[in-house]
Amino acid sequence: MYSSFLMTISLLASLGTASPPVGAPDSFLKRGLPIHRASFTWNKNCGAHVACGPAAAAKPGIGAAAINTLAFENADGGIDGKGNKPHVYGPNGACGSCWHLQPVSNFYPSNGKSLGTPVVVQINDVCPMDKGYCDQTVEHPTNTGGFDAPVHFDLCSMGDAGEAAKQFFGEIGPGVVTGLAQYDPGCTLLEKGPFGSGAGTLE
């Protein structure tokens, strides 16, 4: 599912590559729309102070999420993959991009409660390179928390946007979920109902 990342992450500038690297929304638009394995967490600190600026704070009727650092930065031209280049804390190619997210398994808590349903969110923040969730690098393009996911989303649980998080996480509430993610060019799936509720499932 994410093997193309290993072969193409160093070729972010090349439009002739058949398979896009994970975590570069602008290049997804140009090169294709693969479905990626992803991990997800519940973010309760997602107010107006987000990387994409105050104007990108969670909007009524639209879910919001932070995306892992490698994905966020590659959308604006790439880094060395080690976090040595100053992070891009400001509007870039990732800001405002939409993603179709589908929960598949509740990693934690494993309480037997039901997961929620797919949602569509807009990226408005960057998830720092914390160990386990958002620590993907060019050299190691999947996170290290046992999820083996090349892309991670921290879903905003505050205000109206929090309804998307509740819809996604379902009965398990705050926790860690694994599943699937696909870039949605033009945010067209937001027209499929509140928080993209009618977007269907990813296969």
Side-chain angles (χ1 to χ4, degrees):
M1 184 181 301
Y2 52 81
S3 60
S4 61
F5 187 104
L6 298 174
M7 297 182 289
T8 64
I9 191 65
S10 63
L11 302 175
L12 289 172
S14 171
L15 297 181
T17 305
S19 299
V22 171
D26 57 344
S27 63
F28 275 35
L29 182 61
K30 298 168 184 174
R31 304 181 195 174
L33 299 172
I35 296 173
H36 301 282
R37 177 176 172 81
S39 53
F40 310 89
T41 46
W42 177 284
N43 181 7
K44 60 182 180 180
N45 298 306
C46 48
H49 301 290
V50 292
C52 295
K59 301 176 178 65
I62 301 177
I67 196 169
N68 59 291
T69 299
L70 182 64
F72 189 88
E73 293 184 335
N74 277 344
D76 201 31
I79 57 173
D80 64 1
K82 300 177 182 178
N84 293 327
K85 179 180 176 181
H87 296 319
V88 185
Y89 289 114
N92 77 341
C95 294
S97 63
C98 287
W99 290 76
H100 184 188
L101 312 179
Q102 178 178 318
V104 174
S105 175
N106 54 320
F107 190 89
Y108 176 85
S110 180
N111 53 17
K113 294 185 177 181
S114 298
L115 284 168
T117 56
V119 297
V120 177
V121 300
Q122 275 191 316
I123 301 303
N124 72 343
D125 205 357
V126 58
C127 178
M129 295 184 72
D130 57 328
K131 186 172 180 60
Y133 299 110
C134 299
D135 56 350
Q136 295 92 339
T137 65
V138 172
E139 290 81 6
H140 193 284
T142 59
N143 51 17
T144 61
F147 318 108
D148 199 29
V151 62
H152 179 86
F153 298 86
D154 202 14
L155 276 69
C156 180
S157 64
M158 295 176 60
D160 191 59
E163 294 302 313
K166 293 175 184 176
Q167 180 177 312
F168 183 84
F169 283 89
E171 293 181 356
I172 74 166
V176 183
V177 166
T178 56
L180 303 172
Q182 184 180 46
Y183 176 57
D184 171 27
C187 299
T188 58
L189 294 179
L190 287 176
E191 301 173 2
K192 301 291 186 179
F195 310 109
S197 56
T201 59
L202 295 170
E203 298 179 357

